[in-house]
Structures are given as C-alpha cells and as structure tokens.
Amino acid sequence: MKSELQRDPRLRPDMVSGLLAVVAVGVVIGAQIVMLSLATGAVLFAGPLSEGAALGTAATLAGGMIATLVIGLMGAVPSAVAEVQEHGLAALATTLAAAVAPLALIDARISTAFAIIAATTLLTAALLFAIERLRLGAIVRYFPYPVLAGFLAGSGWLLTTAALGTVLGTSSDLSAWRALADPGALARIAPMLALALGMLIAARLSTQPLVPLGVLVAALLAYAGARSAGIVEATAAAAPAQAATFALPVPGTVAWDRVLAALPSIAAVAALSVAGALLNIGALATAVRARIDTNRELRITGLANVGMATVGAGPGFVSLGLTLTAHGLRVRSRLVCLVAAAVTGAALLLAGPIVAWVPPFVTGGLIAFLGLGFLLDWGWATRRQMPLGDWAIVLAVLAVTAVAGFLPAIGLGLGLAVALFVVDTMRGSVIRFDHPLSEMPSPRERGVAERTLLDVEGRGTQILALEGNLFFATGEAALRRLHEILRGGARGLVLDLSRVHLIDVTVATSLAEFAAAARDAGLDLSLVAGPENVERALERSGLPVDWPVRMPNLDRALEAAEESVLRGVVDEKASIDPYAILRKAVRGDDALMAAVLSEFTRIELAEGALVYAAGDPSDCIFLLVDGRVWIDDPTRVGFPLRPMRAGTVVGDVALLLGEPRAADLRALTPTTLLRLDAEVLARWERDAPDHALAVHRLIELTLIEKLLATNRAVALARR
C-alpha cells in the first residue's frame, strides 16, 4: 500500500523538507525575538518600574508579534521579520525613569510609563505616515551621518549602563558605574560580562547568524543544570513575577502631566526610530538585491506601529539581522513570519514565569550585548568610515550622552546638524554640467560616419560632472539625478569627480550603493577620478578600486565612452561607410565619385607599418578605408596618441601648405588606404576641373571637421 506521501503528488519530499526548514527557521527567529523582548522589558521597566517588568515584557512580545505579522505579510520581502527595535530603547528608558520618579503609587508609575511608550510609538507612526504621504523616503540623507552615529553610540552607552543597573540593582545612570567601587560588584557582574562578550565575539567572528543565540542557549542550559544540581541557588529575577495574563493599565491612573513633560524626549525617540526604520529599509533592499518601494514600506511600518501602540509596545520596524538570518539560510517564505509570530505569542502567555525564572545575569548579558554592539559599530568602527572631524562629532554626542544624558546630547546633535546643514547648503549646486554624450563629444578626430553614429547613439550615454563639497544635503540632488539616469534606461554614464573637493561618508556610501545598483543593471559606468581624499572616502565606503573604471581625465573618459558606444551599436565594418566624406564632397554624383576613386592607389599595410615619417615630402593625401592609423608626434610630450578610423582623410594640411610631414603615421591594425598623389591633383586642375573640385571639397570638409574638433577641445579645457 502506497504511503500518503506517494499517493498525493502535492506532497513531494522537497516540499516537506522545505516546509520543515521554514518552520525551523521561524522557531529560531521567534526565540530570538523572545530573548530580545526580555531584554527590552528589563531596560524599560527597571528601577522605579521594576514591578512592571513582566507586564513590559509581555507588551513587547505582543508588539513584536504584531510587527512581524503586519510587515512580514504585507512588506516587499517575503521573509521580513520585525520587532520592537532598540534604536531608541535606552533613551526611552531614561525618559520613563525620569517621568515616573515623582509618582508614589506603583500603578500610576506603570500606567504613566505605558502611556509614554504608546505616545512614542503613535508619534513614530504619524511621522512615518507623513514622510510616506509627502514622498520623502530619502529624508534620512538629510540627517548628518556623524550625528546619527553619535546618537546610536550614546544608546550603546545607556544600554550598557542599564545592564549594570539590572545586575547590581541600581538605577540606570551614573550610579551604576559608581557601584562598581563595591568590592563585590565585579564578582556579581562577571557572569553578565562573560555572556555579553561571548555573544559579541561569536557575532563578530562567525558568519553564521545563529551562533550568538547558541551562546545564549548554552548559558541558560548551564544555569539550569547548575540550579538543578544545587551548585547555585535559585536566583531571583530582577523584577518579581506578575500574572501571565496581559492587560493594559487603566487610563485613569495615568499622570498626564508627566506625559506632557516628556514630550520633547518622546519626539526625539520617535525621530530616532524613524531614522532607524529608513536606514534598515534601505540596507535591506541593498542586502537582498530587491527593488523596494520605500514609501510603501513606510506606510506598512506605520500601520504596524499603530497596532503596537495599542498594546503598549515601543516603536518597531523591520529587523535587518533577523530578516537576513532567514534570507541567508535561503528561506524566503511568509510562513516564516507566521511561525515566528506563533512562537512570540506562546511566550506572551508565559511572560511572568519567564521573567521570574531567567536570572539577572542573562537579562543583563543580553542588554550588554546590545549596548556593546552599538558602541563598537557606531562609536569605534565609524572611525574607519569617516574623516577625523566627523568622528569627533560622534565622540562629542557620545560624551554628552554619558555625562549629561540623552536630552542634552539631542540638543548638541541638533545644533551640529543645523550648523552642518547651513554650511553645506551655502555652497550651492554641486552639479557642474549634465549632458548626453552626443552634445559633449571628445576632441578625437573622427570621420563623418562615426560622428553621425555618435550624434544619434550618444544620447544613451550621460555625462554628469560634480563639483565642490558633497555633503548630506548638497549631495542629495546629485544622488537623485544619478538614480534618474539609471531608471531612465541609460546605457552608459561618465561621472566626473575631478572637481569635487570633499565628500562625506553619507554621500560616499550612497555612491557605493549606486555603483552596485548600476553594475547589477548593466550600466556602463566610468568614473573620472577625484582628489586623493575623495578616492579614500569612496574606498572606505566600500566602492571597489576596480569598479567603476577610473579615468585620469574627462577627455579620456569621453573617448572611452564613444568607443563603447561604437562597439555596442553594430559591427564596425558593417556600419561605417569609409566613403561617406567623399560622397558628401561629390554631392551624391556616383559617376564623378567612381571617376575620382579610379585615380586613387590602394595600399595594404600590416600592423605597425610606417605610412610616412616626419620630414617626408607632402606629395599625397590618404583616405583611410579599413583599419586604424595613428599620428605619433614626438614633440607633443604627455599627449595621448591620436588614433583615426575608417572614413578619415590624412595628410591634407601638409599637402596644401607644401611643407614636409610633421609627424609619423603608422598602422595601428592591419589597414587599407587609398592614396591620391599631388601630381594627379595638379593634372585634374588643368584637364578635369570637376574632379579637382571634388578633391578640394573633400579637403575642405576634412579641415572643417578638424576645426570643429579643436573647438570642442578648447571648450572642454574651459569646463
């Protein structure tokens, strides 16, 4: 008898194994959300709010479940996972502690804390909706990167301080650091530090995203084993256990005056959360190589935050780490979000027992893991990504956060942001010129056929030159124009940075992201190299030294772009008419053209052969029919060779002036030339004036083209 799997063709083994993989990854991600929610609850509900830790954890779990369901099921990335984020967590915890400290009743404290959290999440949703409505998804670029990095580094300091307070039983401020003077304090925080450092090292050294979670699970198992064996006593949790049933506080017990007093901090945390959401959405699009409508994702994230506010959870958005965990394991199904939400929901029912059972060193270790990670990523690692002056801003915001708190740091950061914005915007437009290649030809001499092709096909290649200082504000117009060129279907782009003096890490990172997108789209991108400091900034941002192709100057870049256009249109021999200029000279008279050509002598040359040498008498002109030749002038030191292709007339100026050849002419490839001797031209001038007139028109057209090429070279030199 066949098994159910064999009888039902819809249940193939690969489908079953894929389903099991999705469930397994969903369970693991759900477990990570539970652990992070535990840390979030402990940070927000510490000190005067410690009795609400279980309720705060339950609210965070409920918020994470809502965020994962809304963003995971409606967002552009199928395996997207969302949670209550830690970007503004430390600042929100500081705000809560200061707001409820004057309140005597615990119910009033907890209710007021939830009101502040919900107000922060609702304001975050409102800002997300406003940005989406105004189509300002790129607004994060207007916030100075060093200031944002300083805020996040300061959050790391506050989280680390909260971890100490959780283990030592102090408030989450400088008193936690002063408590380290107690001789027994180091022994109490040692397990916490060991766990935090173990997870941090695992996260930095391992390419497997589940390794840090494994370290945490190992610590929990070790604690459970030691506890059951009687090696350690049952450790009381940081907060007493509460009922597992989740219920919102009664609004009547909220101290609304304290909520109003906290509005500046609420606005700051909401703004920081919005910036984090924008950064994560942008980074996710780059990481998974997907085309994401930022404004649509903002609307979905706003809806998720409305739902999260109803359960008293803090602001949340897509989690880059958790989403890439599923993506890296090749699991890209919305079922992952359902499984992770189910795991989170199950933990929600057990929030009280979980808080009661998990020892403080584990909760503190989780918080310290997040805090130390922020300090390393945003306080230390940014030194390699930005100039020393920008990094000094990061350290200044971090130092003010550590000494005076988050609100003074916000004031400093906003002041620096305004100062930088004013300085940058005063510099004016950074776009020097923006033209298609057909309007900016190179100074290289080209035949009529080639120039005609470039006038048509060169419209698909854009030349964009930037100048001045590229900062977070001034660079936005240039970045917007770059993406317009990419979306417009251009085949090629020459980006000239030769007159860019400075470039900050925000624009450099955005340029590196644009180059990656251009490469994926098949855009032929070349870069006219800028000053050494600009090149260093681009390399620090992740732009490879071999992509895009660097050009030493704009002339060389234009020549290379033209060559690329000519190669990409059609086969050269089939597309270029070497007789186009002669046909133009005889004005379409085929009989006259045949008569003139009958007096030309055909010459076949091998690669490298000398056509004539400097000093030779000028007794003929040449029409290049096939291949390439170049004029090698030893007197023009530092100038590139001047290659010429089919359809070009050579030797005309020297023939008219009656002077010796000024330079060597060599065959760059196997070449075919047509030679017309001066004595033939002299005979035509006596006996066949129509033939002679055609040749003189040929020389006239050639000289006009050379004059136009010279004018273009002069115009380029003045740009």
Side-chain angles (χ1 to χ4, degrees), residues 18 76 100 150 287 315 328 360 404 425 445 459 461 477 497 565 627 690 694 701 705:
V100 305
T425 51
E445 297 177 20
R459 299 169 188 169
T461 297
L497 301 181
V565 169
D690 56 338
L701 290 172
E705 285 194 4

Side-chain angles (χ1 to χ4, degrees), residues 561-585:
E562 289 179 346
E563 293 295 324
S564 177
V565 169
L566 293 173
R567 281 196 308 269
V569 179
V570 282
D571 179 72
E572 177 183 311
K573 291 184 179 180
S575 62
I576 296 179
D577 180 8
Y579 304 105
I581 191 170
L582 181 57
R583 186 173 288 106
K584 195 172 183 179

Side-chain angles (χ1 to χ4, degrees), residues 293-316:
D293 184 347
T294 302
N295 289 303
R296 180 176 182 275
E297 295 299 311
L298 290 177
R299 182 171 65 253
I300 294 171
T301 305
L303 290 173
N305 276 269
V306 171
M308 297 166 74
T310 62
V311 297

Side-chain angles (χ1 to χ4, degrees), residues 7 58 144 160 167 204 209 281 291 366 368 386 417 443 485 491 525 537:
R7 283 190 283 109
T160 306
V167 175
R204 293 302 190 271
I281 292 171
R291 299 181 69 87
L366 277 170
M386 59 182 66
I485 293 171
R491 292 190 299 270
L525 178 63

Side-chain angles (χ1 to χ4, degrees), residues 346-541:
L348 172 60
L349 300 176
L350 301 172
I354 290 175
V355 172
W357 185 85
V358 174
F361 87 87
V362 171
T363 306
L366 277 170
I367 301 170
F369 166 65
L370 297 175
L372 293 174
F374 270 57
L375 284 171
L376 285 176
D377 292 338
W378 298 101
W380 176 252
T382 49
R383 174 61 189 94
R384 299 191 299 271
Q385 301 172 2
M386 59 182 66
L388 186 60
D390 287 351
W391 192 53
I393 295 176
V394 176
L395 296 183
V397 176
L398 171 60
V400 172
T401 303
V403 175
F406 199 73
L407 281 179
I410 290 175
L412 172 66
L414 292 178
L416 292 173
V418 171
L420 289 175
F421 182 80
V422 171
V423 171
D424 291 341
T425 51
M426 287 178 62
R427 302 180 190 276
S429 174
V430 296
I431 297 180
R432 186 161 160 248
F433 54 80
D434 181 9
H435 302 295
L437 181 62
S438 57
E439 297 179 8
M440 286 192 63
S442 74
R444 174 183 289 185
E445 297 177 20
R446 296 190 182 277
V448 173
E450 278 191 336
R451 185 56 60 196
T452 301
L453 266 177
L454 289 170
D455 286 343
V456 177
E457 301 297 336
R459 299 169 188 169
T461 297
Q462 198 70 15
I463 316 299
L464 181 65
L466 307 180
E467 64 181 356
N469 301 313
L470 301 183
F471 288 94
F472 67 95
T474 58
E476 177 59 21
L479 293 168
R480 184 168 56 251
R481 177 59 185 142
L482 285 172
H483 285 282
E484 287 175 356
I485 293 171
L486 184 61
R487 290 193 300 269
R491 292 190 299 270
L493 170 64
V494 175
L495 181 59
D496 183 4
L497 301 181
S498 59
R499 296 201 179 187
V500 172
H501 307 309
L502 293 171
I503 183 170
D504 79 344
V505 66
T506 305
V507 179
T509 302
S510 298
L511 284 177
E513 294 173 357
F514 170 79
R519 192 171 197 170
D520 292 342
L523 182 70
D524 186 7
L525 178 63
S526 60
L527 189 70
V528 179
E532 184 178 354
N533 64 308
V534 172
E535 287 296 307
R536 283 200 307 268
L538 292 174
E539 291 176 12
R540 284 196 299 264
S541 70

